[in-house]
Amino acid sequence: MMFEPPKSVRQIGEPSKNPRIYVEDYVITFARQLASQAGDKEVAGVLLGKTCMKQREKYIKISGLVAIDGMNELSGHTFTHQMWTDIYTQIKEHFLDIE
């Protein structure tokens, strides 16, 4: 996929590094909302996006975020089968046509 200049995004990480990572503003806004609603509890999410190329440089465009329920009940660092099912369901419902 060819790189298209993103709209309403922020570049994260070091600008001179390859790949360059761009996160759409509403993803950052949603992540902040999740964090503020969680208070002192842990919160996690899965970033969704695509890898693009332009003039031999790799770009990663993050266009979505799926919140992960049940992080506080997790006893390790491995997601449960139910967590993955919920993640895939949210992706199918809200992000199937993600750019």
Side-chain angles (χ1 to χ4, degrees):
M1 167 178 257
M2 288 297 296
F3 179 74
E4 294 291 327
K7 299 174 186 171
S8 301
V9 298
R10 297 178 192 198
Q11 183 175 350
I12 60 172
E14 295 183 39
S16 60
K17 295 290 183 178
N18 193 11
R20 293 184 182 184
I21 303 171
Y22 293 94
V23 181
E24 293 199 22
D25 284 343
Y26 71 86
V27 174
I28 294 170
T29 301
F30 182 51
R32 287 182 177 153
Q33 287 175 348
L34 289 174
S36 68
Q37 292 171 357
D40 61 347
K41 296 179 182 177
E42 288 186 12
V43 64
V46 174
L47 297 172
L48 306 172
K50 293 186 178 184
T51 301
C52 307
M53 297 293 290
K54 182 178 183 181
Q55 299 174 351
R56 297 185 184 169
E57 286 197 51
K58 184 187 272 186
Y59 296 83
I60 299 173
K61 293 169 47 177
I62 306 298
S63 303
L65 172 67
V66 173
I68 301 172
D69 295 325
M71 284 302 296
N72 291 317
E73 294 84 34
L74 198 60
S75 60
H77 296 292
T78 304
F79 295 163
T80 65
H81 177 72
Q82 185 58 48
M83 288 173 151
W84 280 118
T85 299
D86 293 345
I87 291 166
Y88 289 128
T89 299
Q90 288 186 58
I91 291 170
K92 287 177 186 175
E93 289 176 2
H94 303 289
F95 299 104
L96 202 52
D97 61 346
I98 197 167
E99 289 187 19

